[in-house]
Amino acid sequence: MPASSQPRSPVAIALVTALASFTIVLDTTIVNVALHSLAREFDAPLTTIQWVTSGYVLALASVIPAAPWAMARFGAKRVYLAAIALFVLGSALAGLAWDAPSLIAFRALQGLGGGLITPVGMSLVLRAAAAGGGRQGMLMSISGLSILVAPTLGPVFGGWLVDEVSWRWMFLVNVPVGALAVALAARVIPADSPTPGRRLDVPGLLLLSPGFAALIYGLTRANESAGGFASVDAWLPLAVGVGLVLGFLRRALTVSAPLLDLRLLRHRPLALGLLGLLPFVMGYFGSMLLTPMFFQRVRGDSVLESGLLTIQLGLAAGLTMQLAGRLVDRVAVRWIVLPGMLTAAAGLGWFALALGPGIAEWQVRLSLTVLGVGVGMTMMPSITAATRSVAAPDVPAAATLVNIGSQLASAVGSALMAVLLAGNLAGAEGDPAALADGFRRTYLWAVALILLAAVPAALLSRRPPARPDAGRAAVRSEEARGPASQIR
């Protein structure tokens, strides 16, 4: 590993990364619920305003693959501080936007910073855990709290800002929070030295970043277009994206120093962790797209009311994740993740089967609480299992693989659920019972994806993790043998 000063507290690093991640996730969810308000504000069609979200996601997706090289070239701390600062700058400019095109451009600037915050932050937490004697599960649970809690608070906070304050504060609120995150990160994250001589794999970047962006764009268009995946606006970029990604895969497996070392997937815990995480993310985050739509279209709830109906989901997930994060440092990960996935499937299945125009509020709250408990047992423990035993030099690449996979799975899940819902609601407009039935059938696809994720989860290790002193010995052994691969 590059030379670095010892952190005063790994927990402090995890809390700082949680604050930065919370800002970007909350920002995304707030904007998603305010698109109709922005369309009215700028007197622009919704298809144009949709690019406030799409432009951000595309910029975010394009920069993630460069994270390992950037950390090696400039040092993880410098990259992290610069990424937060760029996100804050984009937020300030977005809050001052004067028309739809300027807002879309500033959101893209936000995405360039936001795309680096999560993978670099995850690498910093994993390094702090290794230097501090383990406790990866606990630290990852603290750092990842925002991923589960912010999407629940976003609709509530966003609805209040749009209705009572101003749309501009959806973005301006990031400025003081981001500035605080920069100040704290500068203080608690140890300095690290760049790795001399590591060059960027430019051909790999020119294949993977545009390919990843094209896939996200195609999935977004499938969500927006009346023809779904059959629309040329969807399948053409998807085909281009698949071709570019396949080209990257071929290059990554044949050159000695690829942008991302896919040979890491030979590492069984990383491969199994990703195989379980991806369908779970598709099912869970895809279903979260449906929930506010059900409350608003079938029950007639407002944005704020629909957010309040789901707030217990995020709270249950956040609390459970803290307990699961501590358990995963002591108990075999299979006995946490597998029951978590089955619990999540049970909670979401209960909610789906109870759907109807007059669904009782207690059923909504209790079923979503069960779902939250399952999600809290699954998300961060799965990521911890995937990255825990990766050799220290490979941590940035492993963290980036997890983030790329999660981003793509979330986009695929959202687009898939939107297309399925459109088909299931055909001809049901004006009939609350038929609308509820269409939502129910779509939710059951999300339940099936979560159950599919349980298959690789059942193959995870049954052995408890090694003691912290054994983990440090393994890291020293890896460092004595030299890097397992070169990330450039």
Side-chain angles (χ1 to χ4, degrees):
M1 290 179 61
S4 64
S5 59
Q6 287 292 327
R8 288 184 300 173
S9 169
V11 173
I13 294 176
L15 287 170
V16 169
T17 60
L19 177 63
S21 296
F22 182 84
T23 304
I24 62 172
V25 178
L26 186 68
D27 174 85
T28 302
T29 54
I30 288 176
V31 173
N32 286 344
V33 303
L35 292 179
H36 287 279
S37 299
L38 291 173
R40 290 195 302 269
E41 177 70 27
F42 291 117
D43 192 24
L46 190 59
T47 52
T48 298
I49 290 298
Q50 184 68 37
W51 280 97
V52 172
T53 296
S54 301
Y56 174 84
V57 173
L58 289 175
L60 182 145
S62 66
V63 77
I64 289 176
W69 169 81
M71 283 185 274
R73 176 65 179 83
F74 301 107
K77 180 175 182 176
R78 292 189 186 93
V79 173
Y80 197 62
L81 294 175
I84 301 174
L86 187 60
F87 180 82
V88 170
L89 174 62
S91 298
L93 292 173
L96 301 174
W98 52 89
D99 58 14
S102 64
L103 180 57
I104 292 167
F106 296 143
R107 281 285 285 166
L109 185 64
Q110 272 187 296
L112 293 176
L116 290 173
I117 288 174
T118 302
V120 178
M122 184 183 296
S123 296
L124 289 169
V125 172
L126 291 171
R127 287 182 180 181
R135 299 187 297 166
Q136 290 96 332
M138 182 195 74
L139 295 175
M140 289 295 290
S141 294
I142 294 172
S143 178
L145 192 60
S146 60
I147 297 175
L148 300 181
V149 176
T152 304
L153 297 180
V156 179
F157 189 43
W160 176 77
L161 282 175
V162 172
D163 293 342
E164 305 296 334
V165 189
S166 166
W167 68 267
R168 296 186 183 277
W169 278 98
M170 295 189 303
F171 306 107
L172 295 177
V173 72
N174 296 328
V175 176
V177 179
L180 176 62
V182 169
L184 292 174
R187 181 176 179 84
V188 306
I189 294 174
D192 59 324
S193 301
T195 304
R198 292 194 171 188
R199 296 172 298 173
L200 178 63
D201 176 20
V202 176
L205 184 64
L206 293 177
L207 287 168
L208 185 57
S209 287
F212 191 29
L215 288 173
I216 297 292
Y217 176 76
L219 292 167
T220 302
R221 293 303 299 159
N223 190 1
E224 298 168 359
S225 302
F229 287 102
S231 168
V232 68
D233 289 346
W235 68 256
L236 183 58
L238 283 172
V240 171
V242 168
L244 290 172
V245 170
L246 289 176
F248 170 78
L249 294 177
R250 182 179 182 278
R251 176 176 176 79
L253 295 173
T254 55
V255 301
S256 60
L259 181 72
L260 291 177
D261 189 358
L262 298 182
R263 298 178 187 89
L264 288 175
L265 294 175
R266 296 173 181 170
H267 186 59
R268 180 181 169 88
L270 178 60
L272 286 176
L274 274 174
L275 282 174
L277 187 65
L278 298 187
F280 185 88
V281 167
M282 287 176 61
Y284 172 63
F285 285 102
S287 72
M288 289 302 96
L289 171 78
L290 306 176
T291 306
M293 295 173 64
F294 167 77
F295 289 136
Q296 293 166 39
R297 292 187 64 177
V298 179
R299 286 172 48 97
D301 296 312
S302 68
V303 172
L304 181 59
E305 289 169 339
S306 63
L308 290 172
L309 279 169
T310 60
I311 197 167
Q312 71 283 340
L313 189 158
L315 294 176
L319 290 173
T320 305
M321 186 169 64
Q322 299 311 304
L323 297 173
R326 285 155 177 80
L327 278 176
V328 81
D329 289 328
R330 300 176 175 85
V331 179
V333 70
R334 178 193 294 190
W335 308 128
I336 299 172
V337 172
L338 182 57
M341 289 181 174
L342 297 177
T343 301
L348 187 58
W350 176 9
F351 178 73
L353 294 175
L355 284 185
I359 182 175
E361 185 172 324
W362 72 266
Q363 288 211 64
V364 171
R365 295 193 179 279
L366 193 54
S367 61
L368 293 182
T369 298
V370 173
L371 171 61
V373 170
V375 171
M377 295 171 65
T378 300
M379 289 286 292
M380 282 302 130
S382 293
I383 295 174
T384 300
T387 56
R388 175 160 44 200
S389 55
V390 173
D394 296 325
V395 163
T400 303
L401 281 173
V402 169
N403 277 276
I404 288 176
S406 298
Q407 285 288 338
L408 191 56
S410 179
V412 171
S414 297
L416 178 62
M417 293 302 143
V419 171
L420 288 171
L421 181 65
N424 288 331
L425 294 185
E429 203 63 47
D431 183 346
L435 286 172
D437 184 63
F439 274 94
R440 179 184 301 109
R441 284 182 279 130
T442 308
Y443 269 113
L444 291 176
W445 280 102
V447 174
L449 284 168
I450 292 175
L451 290 174
L452 178 64
V455 176
L459 302 176
L460 290 169
S461 175
R462 291 179 292 181
R463 298 179 180 178
R467 299 189 312 273
D469 55 345
R472 286 196 297 271
V475 169
R476 287 196 297 269
S477 174
E478 289 287 350
E479 291 177 342
R481 289 196 297 268
S485 62
Q486 296 293 321
I487 311 298
R488 301 191 180 190

